[in-house]
Amino acid sequence: MAPDSSNVTQLWMHVPTTSNFLEQNYWSWNDADSVVQADLNKPWFLCCGVPYEDVNKIGKKIGVMCRSFLFAILTHLAASSGPIHKAPALNGTNVDRLALLAIKSMIKGDPQGLLTSWNHSSTDFCQWQGVTCSPRHQRVTHLNLSDGGLIGTLSPSIGNLSFIRVIQLFNNSFSSETPPEIGRLFRLRQLRLASNSFTGNIPATIMNCSNLQFLKLGGNNLVGKIPNEIGRLFRLQTLDLRNNSFTGNIPFTITNCSNLQLLELSLNNLVGKIPDGIGSLSMLSFLYLNDNILQGGIPPEIGHLFRLQELILYNNSFTGNIPATITNCSNLQVLDLGNINLVGKIPDWIGSLSMLSFLYLNDNSFTGIVPATITNLSNLQFLCLEFNNLVGNVLSIPPTVHWLDLAGEIPRTLGSIPLLQFLAISRNKISGGLPSSLLNLSYLKVLDLGRNNLAGIIPPWLGIKLTMLKILNLRSNNFYGNTPDQLCYLSQVQVLDLAHNNLSGNIPRCFNNFSVLSGIETNLDVHVSFYVDDFLVTIYDLLVMKGQEATYGSFLGLVMLLDLSSNKFSGQIPSELTTLHKLKSLNLSRNQLTGEIPNKIGDMKSLESLDLSVNNLSGELPMSLSELNFLGTLNVSYNHLIGRVPTGTQIQSFSESSFFGNKLCGAPLTNCVHVDKPDTTSDQKKDGGSHKVDWGLIISIVLGFITGFWVIVVSLMLNRSWRITYFRLLRKLIKVKGL
């Protein structure tokens, strides 16, 4: 019986050939899908010692021989076994379509409807949203579902998209482990899975994707060590593993990735040293290793990275000095070595890094003076030297600086920095008054001079000239006198901290002019930020809120704070403060305030923290307090308050200590002196509710008294005998009284 050639054809379609095996494991492909070179590091070629120029010829011959051999076997099987049932044909396009539908099936949430077009009735999957196909083969080459808010797991079927080059799924909510089947995608150039919730280790199979150029897995929940096999990805240009939970050392093999331009391993738990061979990454422009537990010295080999533009190492456990070889990195624009335990002096050669825009050397143990060569940094925009052991003054600051965070005294040259937007010289021992050089800083958004020994009055020009201020922090100084009404011109202010000074007088009523705090102007920015050369800079500051000191950065724009505590303010709490509807924290404690708490305090709907303790406030707690649904902290202790605590879900949840030192009753207080306001309603009911003054009765009594008095006096004056009798009687009464 002659063999059925159609049966043979069907079997042939489903048998993997040796040439396909070689294709997927030993050759690299260009965009035109033609073989360009063999990977000589594959074990098969290394063992056989095949010369590079003969590899492709041998591969083709092997493929032809194997196809002929397999065809002969299949022909024999078809002839001897009778009819063979046909299997349904699966061409490449059907494989891709089914793979995409399998990916959709494991996505449980699609809030933006990205996958609406992905359905069984639509056969042209190349038109589905986020899918790009090659025009020649109609195979999927790009999959872009980024920023879609997708929720689910990533299907292993993604490994069947054998022509795909780019996978972009960042900024979604994919969870579970990364499918190891991705390792089958030998054409893959870009794998971008950042900002999801992937778990587990990096699949070792990904290291088989030898054409990978961009590997971005940052912002997930990945664990374990960075695999040593990462060094096999010779074509890698970007490696982003930031903000995960990786442990162990930075693998030395990473120095084999000689095409790396960006290496970002920040925000992990990496230990050990920076590999000494780091200098071999000659293409590296961006190195981010901050927020780890790295130790040892900064390797001098970093000075071999001549293309380096940004070196960010802050928040680690390094030791030693700044290596002098960094002066070779002439293209350096950002140098952040903050909080890494460095010692010694700030080197003079720092001024030779002429491209430097950002210089952060804060929170170290540097000694000596600030080198005058900093003046040579003509492109410098951010300078942060605070929390060191530096002495002397900063003699001159480049006029290009936007952000100035120092240690030491207020520079005399501040007036020559007109573009300055952030000035922080806190936690020093600066004395004297506010220098008039601040007058010229009309673009200033943050002024933090807290925790110093500054004294004198708060100058009125602070509110007149610095009208763009969003944060004014003069906390813990020795300012005295009245608070100038000119501060009310700071309509953009959202943080005003004058606590722990010697300020006196009344709280200005014009504080209701703060248009952001009152809600007249809407603050749409979560960050307090500004742009510098198209670069967005987020401002941070150290603030006290709800009794806790913390650094606010990412959400500083949401902080709305007024703190006047621990001063000598007197008088009543201005009712105008209750119009600050966006205020979240109000602290007036430890002053000499009198009178009652404003009845409309419940209008401050955004209040989360309210502290009025240790004053001389009197009267009852306003009932409107129960309307503050977001209130998380309340303290009215040690005043002269009376009556019952208002009933409200929030108020009853506070501890008794919030109300101590008053004559208050009701939950949450358990033991208290019951002081009730006199109740006159029952008496009013008994007499018909009439407690009006009887003016007729009063007038009658007065007229009767006057009439009787004058009748007696006139009679005594006109009748002599009556007058004699009256005085005799009066003398007798006096004598009797004398006995």
Side-chain angles (χ1 to χ4, degrees), residues 26-284:
Y26 298 109
W27 277 280
S28 302
W29 296 73
N30 62 15
D31 290 335
D33 295 328
S34 59
V35 177
V36 293
Q37 70 175 34
D39 191 340
L40 298 183
N41 290 314
K42 294 295 183 180
W44 190 84
F45 290 119
L46 293 177
C47 291
C48 296
V50 181
Y52 175 78
E53 59 272 12
D54 294 334
V55 167
N56 291 333
K57 294 180 182 179
I58 295 174
K60 290 178 181 178
K61 290 180 180 179
I62 292 175
V64 172
M65 293 171 59
C66 291
R67 285 178 183 269
S68 302
F69 178 68
L70 288 173
F71 186 80
I73 293 176
L74 293 174
T75 302
H76 175 73
L77 290 173
S80 61
S81 60
I84 299 176
H85 297 287
K86 294 183 179 180
L90 281 179
N91 57 32
T93 57
N94 283 335
V95 170
D96 284 4
R97 180 173 177 272
L98 292 176
L100 292 173
L101 291 173
I103 291 171
K104 179 182 179 180
S105 69
M106 298 186 71
I107 295 175
K108 306 304 180 184
D110 181 13
Q112 299 181 23
L114 293 183
L115 306 181
T116 304
S117 59
W118 294 33
N119 55 69
H120 291 275
S121 60
S122 175
T123 57
D124 190 4
F125 59 86
C126 292
Q127 300 300 315
W128 292 356
Q129 186 170 353
V131 177
T132 302
C133 294
S134 60
R136 179 182 176 186
H137 300 291
Q138 291 295 290
R139 301 292 301 275
V140 176
T141 57
H142 291 69
L143 179 61
N144 185 357
L145 300 176
S146 58
D147 297 303
L150 300 174
I151 303 171
T153 57
L154 186 56
S155 171
S157 296
I158 197 168
N160 293 336
L161 300 174
S162 57
F163 273 66
I164 200 163
R165 290 172 173 77
V166 177
I167 298 175
Q168 297 189 127
L169 302 178
F170 55 86
N171 286 343
N172 284 293
S173 295
F174 286 103
S175 57
S176 192
E177 296 188 354
T178 310
E181 288 78 6
I182 288 177
R184 300 206 300 252
L185 305 176
F186 71 97
R187 291 183 173 92
L188 192 63
R189 308 282 177 79
Q190 300 183 26
L191 179 59
R192 301 173 183 257
L193 305 181
S195 300
N196 279 283
S197 298
F198 288 109
T199 59
N201 299 329
I202 299 177
T205 56
I206 288 182
M207 309 311 157
N208 296 330
C209 303
S210 57
N211 286 306
L212 207 57
Q213 298 173 357
F214 295 85
L215 178 57
K216 305 193 73 171
L217 305 178
N220 283 287
N221 299 316
L222 300 175
V223 296
K225 295 183 178 181
I226 300 173
N228 288 324
E229 291 78 9
I230 199 84
R232 289 164 47 187
L233 301 178
F234 302 118
R235 294 180 176 84
L236 207 58
Q237 298 175 20
T238 295
L239 177 59
D240 176 8
L241 304 180
R242 62 178 172 80
N243 198 15
N244 281 286
S245 298
F246 291 116
T247 56
N249 297 337
I250 299 174
F252 179 82
T253 55
I254 209 167
T255 61
N256 296 333
C257 303
S258 57
N259 288 300
L260 265 182
Q261 299 174 23
L262 183 148
L263 176 57
E264 185 163 9
L265 307 178
S266 57
L267 292 161
N268 281 288
N269 297 310
L270 299 173
V271 297
K273 298 181 179 181
I274 299 176
D276 290 335
I278 194 78
S280 64
L281 300 178
S282 58
M283 302 294 290
L284 199 63

Side-chain angles (χ1 to χ4, degrees), residues 505-520:
N506 294 332
I507 297 173
R509 293 185 176 276
C510 58
F511 277 1
N512 60 349
N513 290 340
F514 298 150
S515 56
V516 172
L517 292 179
S518 63
I520 296 174

Side-chain angles (χ1 to χ4, degrees), residues 408-410 425-435 449-457 473-480 500-502:
E409 297 183 7
I410 299 176
I425 313 180
S426 60
R427 297 177 182 272
N428 283 280
K429 297 179 181 179
I430 304 172
S431 58
L434 290 179
L449 301 176
R451 297 171 177 80
N452 282 292
N453 294 322
L454 294 169
I457 63 170
N473 190 345
L474 302 179
R475 183 185 188 90
S476 299
N477 281 286
N478 297 313
F479 291 109
Y480 56 81
H500 293 272
N501 281 284
N502 295 311

